[in-house]
Amino acid sequence: MLPELLPGLDGVPKGRGPWLARQVADRSAVTGGAPGTDAAGAVVTVAVRLR
């Protein structure tokens, strides 16, 4: 079931990716760079059950 107002349809030009992944995945996680380092970026994990 999707809400009436989807992210990004309120005038914001981007940012729907993480929201959409949470809607279709069984599990999702976003973690930052490796602890104790200057690593920039993120690790995104999405799990979808295959039936």
Side-chain angles (χ1 to χ4, degrees), residues 12-38:
V12 178
K14 58 184 178 177
R16 291 178 284 272
W19 176 85
L20 183 59
R22 286 192 305 271
Q23 299 303 308
V24 299
D26 295 311
R27 240 179 337 173
S28 65
V30 179
T31 56
T37 69
D38 312 1

Side-chain angles (χ1 to χ4, degrees), residues 34-51:
T37 69
D38 312 1
V43 176
V44 178
T45 305
V46 178
V48 178
R49 182 185 328 243
L50 300 177
R51 296 180 183 164

